[in-house]
Amino acid sequence: MTDADQVRNDVVEAALGKLDLDTKTRLLAGQDMWSLPALPEIGLQSLVMSDGPVGVRGVRWTADDPSIALPSPTALAAAWDPALARRAGRLLAQEARRKGVHVLLAPTVNLHRSPLGGRHFECYSEDPHLTGAIGSGYVNGVQDGGVGTTVKHFVGNDAETERFTVDNAIAPRPLRELYLAPFEAIVTSARPWGIMTAYNQVNGTTMTEHQHLVNEVLRGEWGFDGYNVSDWMAARSTTAGILGGLDVAMPGPQTVYGPALAEAVRAGRVPESAVDAAVRNVLRLAARVGALEGAPPVVTEPPAPIDGPALAREIAARGFVLVRNRDAALPLDAAPGRTVALIGAAARDARVLGGGSATVFPERVVSPLDGLTAALPEGALTYAVGADPSEEPTPADKGFELRAVCRDASGAVLGEGGLPSGQVQWIGDDLPAGASYETMASIEVTGRFLPRESGEHAFGTRGLGSFTLAVGGRTLWEGVQELGNEADPFEAFFGAPSERARIELTADEPVEVSLTFQVPDMTALPLKAIMFSLLHLGPRRDPDELIAEAVAAARAADTAVVVVATTERVESEGFDRSDLMLPGRQDDLVRAVAAANPNTVVVVNAGSPVELPWREDVAAVLLTWFPGQEGGAALADVLLGHTEPGGRLPTTWPAAFADAPVTEVVPTEGRLEYGEGLLIGYRAYEAQGVAPAFPFGYGLGYTDWAYESLEVTGATARVRLTNTGTRHGREVVQVYLAPVADRAERPASWLAAFAGVEAAPGESVEAEIALPDRAFEIWDEPAHRWQRIGGTYEVRAGRAHGDTRLTATLEL
């Protein structure tokens, strides 16, 4: 313990001693959606939290305070570079300080157990070692900047279906060796200041009440000394929560803590020492971030300022994974006179981040069309829509300038604020200044729409309640949207998208739009919130005509670049996927374009795996994930060869959905059996003898590498390799262990460690890679402890799982 640690602990104990029971229990309950109450009597500021995997939104769902939007966590993990993750974390700490945020609700380190997981874009990988390494880098970076992290969702929140109630049945070995492993790695190496416990149950106990996993494992075995906060609305029991190690119940002001907890202590159901332990953890967090008077913050001088857009652009390119490059189709030939046909709705309107609580609102978004237009000579680029992945109205976005105006029953304006899109999502106190739930009678989303195309435009609503929709001063629809059959409360609250009216509009002729929502009485609701959307869909055109136009553009160009994508109705928080297909006619589009132009490059704008049935028919395939606000600029950098695509797959891409080894994400009578045990991801493909489309760890660059020697001494592997190509490049050297004559019923092989190396053409480098002790251990279920497994191991160094370039034998 350092002198500063001792001072912080002394200040915490002194502050704790000044608090009475009611004040202590009030501190453990959120005062609103995003913060804990200030206690001026002990010099405690209000601790502010914010969602933060890809950016720091702050406490408002608004475009008035924009945020840097980094690439998705799958993209960050695809770089296989903990140092880059640390730089990303430092940038987010800088953003948090700018917005007055003390704690980020990130990173998300649940595993890609099944490719159907709807929130996998927000998680890193299918592998616990890679997840732990990237997550540790992220946590270190954020906390380098003096901002707390909250590693989530502890544990087993690996799918979204029935996530509030599902009981995940996980045997002790896979629980320890897979699902707890990244949390353990991060807690023991990066020392995060917070953990978020999940909605779900594990083996019959709700995670916000899981005394064994929280108090005995997380705190006892691993030495976690931070605060434990519930996922939002996950805390269900006053007594079981506090005895199970839950420090803070969010959001407020009505939670299972506060007065209910004080009453439980007075009634003898809860010892006051349990409350003191929780308050101590909260005060320690406040001391670390500089929110407790008299306690020196951990970071007194934050890191040097970081250029956010530049880092977002770098991370995007570093995470792009080139999985096919026939005849060196990439980088593109940029000689004078060469032409490119850019195709796809997602090329014009890129999806740069996933849906749900991770959403942030960047000041600008660079689409592929923007990026290539800026990078190519005038006249070198043509564009065609080809196919639109979305066939239903989505929140009004491109061409709309909108504000939300709040009025009382007399029609007087109470407050107003800018909207990033047609979506209103106000939770708790996240309201425009002057507005309140008690005084608001209506909310009008109003503004101007400048159509990009002439034709019949569709408008609609999403959300529950009474609406009036008007376009061009004419009321097009009045009515009520009722609750549908949505299973997840998150999805139900948003409601299903519904088309309400169509109207003929002319391109570049502005028109006024308005959607008025009647605010219901929310007096009895424990958490007050308003969620609804003004939806829009541009003119529908015959899909075959659109594809024909794209084919003509492709045939006339030297290269065709087709951008395909998922949508928020495919990948988002709140629900899982039912298949891995690209939505709409995008597969048909790719096949048609590839038939017309053999030099077709496909860019896949998806946060997690999708089927690519045409992958052998095209010249190149580049996976860009959700690439963040600078994604289009990074895409131009990579396509034109200014930057190497640096990514390697953090998760296996199946050839077809039927090949995916784990597809069960729907509970049976509330229970989901993790019956596959240790065999998820690449471990399962190898066990079943199934070849994926692209294996874990796979990715091509713009140069070639020769693996020359592997030497294993003790717990260190040394790999020598040479850049045999013509460009400077970066290689991710991956080391897998394969036990010989295994006696511990382990997978056939697993990732033990990795390292990135860089070299100029012709240059040789050596990667020195430490093999961690845990790579040789299993969880001994009868003994309830880790056991080192001796014997003979084949140590495999290579470029991907299954792509072994060198082997050595290790005897333990």
Side-chain angles (χ1 to χ4, degrees):
M1 180 180 290
T2 67
D3 290 343
D5 289 331
Q6 186 61 58
V7 172
R8 278 190 290 272
N9 285 347
D10 292 345
V11 172
V12 165
E13 292 302 322
L16 176 62
K18 297 176 182 177
L19 301 178
D20 61 27
L21 176 62
D22 293 304
T23 305
K24 288 187 289 192
T25 59
R26 180 161 58 91
L27 180 61
L28 303 181
Q31 69 174 351
D32 54 28
M33 187 66 183
W34 301 113
S35 68
L36 299 181
L39 299 178
E41 62 268 34
I42 59 170
L44 176 67
Q45 301 173 32
S46 173
L47 284 167
V48 179
M49 307 169 222
S50 170
D51 284 312
V54 300
V56 184
R57 190 172 61 246
V59 300
R60 297 283 310 281
W61 188 274
T62 175
D64 293 344
D65 183 16
S67 309
I68 295 291
L70 295 177
S72 65
T74 42
L76 185 61
W80 287 60
D81 188 347
L84 184 66
R86 189 166 194 160
R87 290 171 59 204
R90 287 177 173 174
L91 170 63
L92 295 178
Q94 175 178 294
E95 284 279 280
R97 293 194 306 271
R98 179 175 67 83
K99 294 194 172 204
V101 168
H102 300 104
V103 184
L104 289 188
L105 304 174
T108 304
V109 299
N110 301 108
L111 295 186
H112 297 177
R113 172 179 170 265
S114 165
L116 295 180
R119 205 173 179 179
H120 279 356
F121 60 86
E122 196 180 319
C123 311
Y124 292 125
S125 170
E126 68 187 29
D127 181 78
H129 178 74
L130 177 60
T131 297
I134 302 302
S136 293
Y138 179 102
V139 167
N140 280 324
V142 174
Q143 295 184 176
D144 283 347
V147 174
T149 55
T150 311
V151 188
K152 63 184 187 183
H153 307 85
F154 187 76
V155 63
N157 184 185
D158 310 298
E160 293 293 277
T161 305
E162 298 181 24
R163 61 179 174 155
F164 285 82
T165 57
V166 61
D167 180 11
N168 293 323
I170 314 173
R173 268 195 73 184
L175 181 60
R176 288 282 189 158
E177 295 180 27
L178 293 179
Y179 302 101
L180 286 171
F183 289 95
E184 180 183 11
I186 294 168
V187 167
T188 56
S189 67
R191 314 305 302 182
W193 300 342
I195 287 278
M196 180 188 290
T197 37
Y199 294 117
N200 53 277
Q201 302 175 56
V202 170
N203 298 327
T205 303
T206 299
M207 279 310 306
T208 51
E209 305 166 12
H210 215 301
Q211 197 272 342
H212 168 61
L213 290 181
V214 173
N215 287 340
E216 296 176 10
V217 176
L218 174 66
R219 293 198 186 278
E221 292 182 27
W222 303 348
F224 174 69
D225 67 352
Y227 89 122
N228 169 20
V229 62
S230 72
D231 204 341
W232 266 225
M233 298 174 287
R236 299 168 174 84
S237 168
T238 300
T239 302
I242 196 71
L243 297 180
L246 179 68
D247 298 325
V248 175
M250 289 294 288
Q254 297 182 42
T255 79
V256 297
Y257 284 177
L261 180 54
E263 192 278 328
V265 172
R266 293 187 173 105
R269 298 191 301 274
V270 171
E272 189 166 356
S273 60
V275 174
D276 288 346
V279 172
R280 186 176 290 112
N281 292 331
V282 173
L283 294 177
R284 187 182 298 116
L285 170 67
R288 285 169 166 166
V289 300
L292 181 61
E293 186 177 315
V298 172
V299 176
T300 55
E301 290 293 330
I306 297 172
D307 183 330
L311 183 57
R313 184 170 181 167
E314 179 186 348
I315 292 172
R318 290 283 306 278
F320 288 174
V321 183
L322 183 61
V323 293
R324 179 172 173 81
N325 196 21
R326 184 186 68 209
D327 300 328
L330 292 179
L332 298 178
D333 182 353
R338 303 289 291 181
T339 57
V340 175
L342 181 62
I343 296 165
R348 181 182 63 187
D349 302 323
R351 187 173 182 203
V352 300
L353 43 78
S357 60
T359 301
V360 295
F361 307 108
E363 190 169 19
R364 69 166 193 169
V365 169
V366 183
S367 70
L369 180 56
D370 296 332
L372 284 169
T373 298
L376 290 171
E378 187 173 350
L381 184 69
T382 59
Y383 172 71
V385 173
D388 195 325
S390 178
E391 298 175 337
E392 62 184 8
T394 57
D397 187 7
K398 295 295 187 294
F400 287 86
E401 294 180 4
L402 300 171
R403 296 188 67 75
V405 181
C406 305
R407 294 184 173 90
D408 64 16
S410 72
V413 174
L414 300 172
E416 59 181 285
L419 289 177
S421 71
Q423 180 174 325
V424 173
Q425 180 170 304
W426 298 335
I427 306 175
D429 292 336
D430 182 9
L431 295 172
S436 71
Y437 293 103
E438 292 73 24
T439 55
M440 276 192 304
S442 68
I443 301 165
E444 182 186 13
V445 174
T446 181
R448 193 181 78 144
F449 173 46
L450 188 67
R452 295 188 295 195
E453 303 167 272
S454 297
E456 190 176 53
H457 290 249
F459 289 84
T461 62
R462 187 179 184 189
L464 307 179
S466 178
F467 297 94
T468 301
L469 172 65
V471 178
R474 182 161 61 95
T475 297
L476 300 181
W477 179 78
E478 288 185 273
V480 177
Q481 185 160 338
E482 304 285 357
L483 181 66
N485 59 356
E486 297 83 5
D488 187 274
F490 185 90
E491 188 181 10
F493 202 36
F494 276 106
S498 299
E499 182 180 319
R500 299 304 185 186
R502 299 185 186 184
I503 185 171
E504 287 284 339
L505 298 176
T506 303
D508 299 324
E509 290 189 7
V511 62
E512 299 299 314
V513 295
S514 169
L515 178 66
T516 301
F517 171 74
Q518 302 302 319
V519 178
D521 182 2
M522 288 181 275
T523 306
L525 295 181
L527 176 64
K528 296 174 176 58
I530 292 173
M531 297 184 185
F532 69 92
S533 298
L534 167 66
L535 306 180
H536 170 259
L537 181 64
R540 294 173 173 86
R541 293 186 53 201
D542 181 88
D544 292 326
E545 286 185 11
L546 290 174
I547 291 176
E549 289 179 3
V551 166
R555 189 175 288 121
D558 294 304
T559 301
V561 176
V562 184
V563 182
V564 296
T566 59
T567 69
E568 282 202 9
R569 299 287 283 172
V570 175
E571 289 184 271
S572 186
E573 180 178 354
F575 55 87
D576 293 311
R577 295 193 282 175
S578 58
D579 59 47
L580 303 181
M581 299 290 291
L582 286 167
R585 295 281 302 279
Q586 295 182 100
D587 286 331
D588 294 340
L589 171 67
V590 173
R591 290 189 181 99
V593 169
N597 188 330
N599 197 28
T600 292
V601 175
V602 181
V603 175
V604 183
N605 180 193
S608 45
V610 293
E611 289 187 32
L612 309 175
W614 32 258
R615 62 190 180 279
E616 301 294 333
D617 303 327
V618 300
V621 179
L622 183 68
L623 312 180
T624 62
W625 314 104
F626 297 146
Q629 69 176 59
E630 305 296 320
L635 179 63
D637 291 341
V638 167
L639 292 181
L640 297 176
H642 305 317
T643 304
E644 182 181 42
R648 305 293 185 265
L649 285 178
T651 196
T652 308
W653 279 51
F657 172 61
D659 295 338
V662 180
T663 58
E664 188 58 68
V665 295
V666 178
T668 300
E669 297 182 353
R671 184 177 172 89
L672 183 62
E673 296 279 351
Y674 282 42
E676 68 284 345
L678 296 171
L679 300 179
I680 68 169
Y682 64 86
R683 297 167 169 82
Y685 283 91
E686 185 171 23
Q688 297 176 10
V690 174
F694 307 111
F696 174 80
Y698 179 72
L700 306 171
Y702 286 160
T703 192
D704 296 312
W705 297 87
Y707 281 64
E708 296 172 343
S709 66
L710 166 63
E711 178 186 337
V712 180
T713 306
T716 302
R718 292 178 177 84
V719 184
R720 184 175 178 81
L721 60 166
T722 297
N723 180 348
T724 59
T726 60
R727 293 174 53 113
H728 182 279
R730 180 178 185 271
E731 175 72 335
V732 178
V733 181
Q734 301 163 41
V735 177
Y736 295 85
L737 294 180
V740 177
D742 189 30
R743 56 186 176 84
E745 298 183 1
R746 288 173 289 182
S749 64
W750 57 89
L751 179 71
F754 64 92
V757 296
E758 295 188 26
E763 183 182 1
S764 296
V765 290
E766 183 176 270
E768 184 173 302
I769 306 172
L771 304 178
D773 290 342
R774 185 53 53 81
F776 300 96
E777 296 175 341
I778 68 165
W779 181 254
D780 185 328
E781 292 186 351
H784 304 291
R785 62 177 175 83
W786 290 101
Q787 178 186 355
R788 186 173 175 86
I789 305 299
T792 304
Y793 290 84
E794 183 177 74
V795 180
R796 301 171 177 172
R799 304 197 68 188
H801 183 257
D803 184 2
T804 301
R805 301 301 174 95
L806 299 167
T807 62
T809 299
L810 175 64
E811 297 286 346
L812 282 188

